[in-house]
Amino acid sequence: MTTTLRHLCAAMTATLLHIHVAHAAMSDNVIRIGVLNDRSGAYADLGGEGSVVAAKMAAEEFGNSIGGAPVEIVSADHQNKPDIGLGIVRRWFDTEKVDAVADISNSGVGFAVTALAKERNKIVLNASASSDFTGKACTRTSFQWVYTSYTNGYGLARALTAQKLDSWFLITVDYSFGHAFAADMRRAVENGGGKVIGEVRHPLNTADFSSVLLQAQASGAKVIALANAGADMTNSVKQAAEFGITRGQALVAPTVFLTDVDAMGLAAAQNLQFVTAYYWDRDAESRAWGNKFFEKTGRMPTMTQAGVYSAVRHYLRAVQAANSDDGLAVAAKIRELPVADSFARGTVRTDGQFVHDMYLARVKTPAASSRRWDYYDIVATIPAEQAFRPLGEGGCELVSQ
């Protein structure tokens, strides 16, 4: 064998060995990400199929492959039921070899999923809101990406209470999402010297809020706060307008999505203020990605859908950096690598919280909007260090380790 031929054979052997090692680092030679969310209920518009599209857009940036291992996106509907969501994810982990779960957008389902993922050392990229995900429920492999009950509940209540809007009535969806928001708003109001004078809880997917709203109106509270989201929030706002509540009391909806405003219409939603993590028309970069999303879906993205794109993109960067889809190895890289994309820029803390700027937004009047989806004015930027709960206050056991 000539020297040239020996060198050629050696090079080919090294290349094949490199490919083999790269593949061997990926379990079953495939990187699978499961998008789990509501596909048919109150939260379907804010996440749903749009989140699946967003996840696929992230995978496409890597050519749907890392180190020769294909990236696959699968999806399922948890129907906002923890037992159904848990059953889906158990099957994903145990038989379908899913490596990471993204979105969720239901805190009740989220707690069940993160507990199972902790046992399996699997990654969770959570768009659910409860601050407990990075507090008492934190794990090494779970991450909270978009917003929290602290950023959108505590922060908004703190600002309004400081403006002497110091008596509150809470209308709360009766599961962990609503409980978390109500608790954070209550704490902010009381810390600011105000008082919560009443609270009513309602089931998820409530259609008629008339009795609840009339009770809130009769309380005389300066602020009626809606600790709910999706169709529940939009129904509440529209019915409050019908009762004339907004003429005498401030109506606050801390969790507002672009699709909510589209469903309510600007006439009902105008001047509503809230905190958001993302708006498609905020800057050139968000606008470019938003337009790509629109080309695929016919709709502009919500903050959850943009956040799912960001989380999946960062996960794939971490897999690439670790040369592995092992949960603990990837989790370490997720925390190590900075995040910079069209959704946000920031860092991932020890407790699993992606910390980034948030924005105080106000819904435009019909006259100020030039077209469909032109709905927000960004009033102010809330710096990351102010927007999110301080690291030491959440009670995450990882912080003290």
Side-chain angles (χ1 to χ4, degrees):
M1 181 180 295
T2 66
T3 301
T4 301
L5 186 57
R6 281 198 301 271
H7 287 169
L8 180 60
C9 290
M12 292 177 61
T13 300
T15 300
L16 291 172
L17 180 61
H18 173 76
I19 293 172
H20 173 75
V21 169
H23 274 265
M26 308 298 176
S27 58
D28 78 336
N29 295 339
V30 178
I31 303 161
R32 289 190 180 87
I33 302 165
V35 178
L36 180 72
N37 59 22
D38 176 6
R39 308 295 297 276
S40 56
Y43 303 153
D45 283 345
L46 65 87
E49 179 61 21
S51 288
V52 180
V53 172
K56 290 180 177 179
M57 289 173 69
E60 287 168 3
E61 291 189 13
F62 294 80
N64 294 307
S65 176
I66 293 178
V71 177
E72 293 184 358
I73 307 295
V74 299
S75 62
D77 184 354
H78 57 43
Q79 301 175 44
N80 292 305
K81 297 178 180 179
D83 57 335
I84 291 178
L86 186 60
I88 291 168
V89 174
R90 181 175 284 113
R91 184 186 74 244
W92 276 355
F93 289 165
D94 294 348
T95 66
E96 297 181 20
K97 307 303 181 184
V98 168
D99 303 296
V101 178
D103 193 350
I104 304 177
S105 289
N106 179 299
S107 293
V109 178
F111 288 120
V113 170
T114 54
L116 180 63
K118 179 181 180 181
E119 295 176 7
R120 304 289 201 277
N121 284 331
K122 299 288 189 177
I123 297 292
V124 176
L125 306 166
N126 201 345
S128 305
S130 173
S131 295
D132 284 340
F133 286 113
T134 53
K136 63 185 180 181
C138 73
T139 78
R140 292 191 183 280
T141 58
S142 62
F143 302 90
Q144 191 170 32
W145 215 257
V146 182
Y147 72 111
T148 74
S149 54
Y150 184 95
T151 61
N152 287 42
Y154 188 96
L156 192 60
R158 176 177 55 190
L160 294 179
T161 302
Q163 297 174 21
K164 305 302 181 183
L165 294 171
D166 53 7
S167 61
W168 289 58
F169 190 98
L170 306 180
I171 297 176
T172 305
V173 62
D174 193 12
Y175 79 101
S176 53
F177 168 92
H179 302 167
F181 265 92
D184 277 329
M185 286 192 290
R186 183 184 296 272
R187 185 163 57 253
V189 170
E190 293 174 351
N191 287 348
K195 184 177 181 180
V196 175
I197 62 178
E199 179 180 5
V200 172
R201 294 181 174 181
H202 68 83
L204 183 66
N205 290 325
T206 293
D208 184 2
F209 286 89
S210 57
S211 63
V212 174
L213 288 167
L214 290 173
Q215 187 175 339
Q217 185 179 42
S219 74
K222 294 178 183 178
V223 178
I224 299 173
L226 305 173
N228 55 21
D232 287 331
M233 188 277 294
T234 59
N235 285 335
S236 302
V237 171
K238 288 187 288 188
Q239 290 172 34
E242 292 171 3
F243 286 122
I245 289 175
T246 53
R247 290 195 293 270
Q249 294 163 290
L251 189 67
V252 172
T255 307
V256 177
F257 294 85
L258 192 69
T259 46
D260 298 331
V261 178
D262 190 62
M264 289 185 285
L266 293 179
Q270 61 185 310
N271 298 317
L272 186 66
Q273 292 196 57
F274 53 95
V275 174
T276 187
Y278 170 89
Y279 177 47
W280 72 269
D281 202 21
R282 183 178 63 82
D283 60 22
E285 192 173 7
S286 62
R287 195 154 42 246
W289 189 83
N291 286 328
K292 288 180 181 178
F293 182 90
F294 182 86
E295 290 173 3
K296 294 177 178 292
T297 66
R299 311 174 68 145
M300 286 299 179
T302 66
M303 67 172 174
T304 289
Q305 291 159 348
V308 168
Y309 158 78
S310 173
V312 171
R313 181 179 185 273
H314 192 68
Y315 167 76
L316 292 173
R317 289 181 65 227
V319 170
Q320 191 174 54
N323 191 32
S324 172
D325 59 5
D326 173 77
L328 293 176
V330 173
K333 290 296 182 182
I334 287 175
R335 289 179 172 88
E336 176 185 322
L337 297 172
V339 182
D341 55 42
S342 57
F343 171 72
R345 284 167 167 74
T347 57
V348 181
R349 296 192 312 201
T350 303
D351 60 358
Q353 181 68 65
F354 174 34
V355 179
H356 51 82
D357 291 348
M358 300 289 289
Y359 305 95
L360 180 62
R362 180 173 56 227
V363 177
K364 292 183 175 183
T365 64
S369 175
S370 62
R371 62 195 185 284
R372 189 182 182 190
W373 309 114
D374 176 28
Y375 294 155
Y376 296 178
D377 283 320
I378 299 300
V379 177
T381 298
I382 306 171
E385 62 274 14
Q386 297 177 20
F388 288 85
R389 182 180 58 199
L391 178 61
E393 295 183 5
C396 173
E397 63 181 8
L398 301 176
V399 174
S400 59
Q401 294 179 4

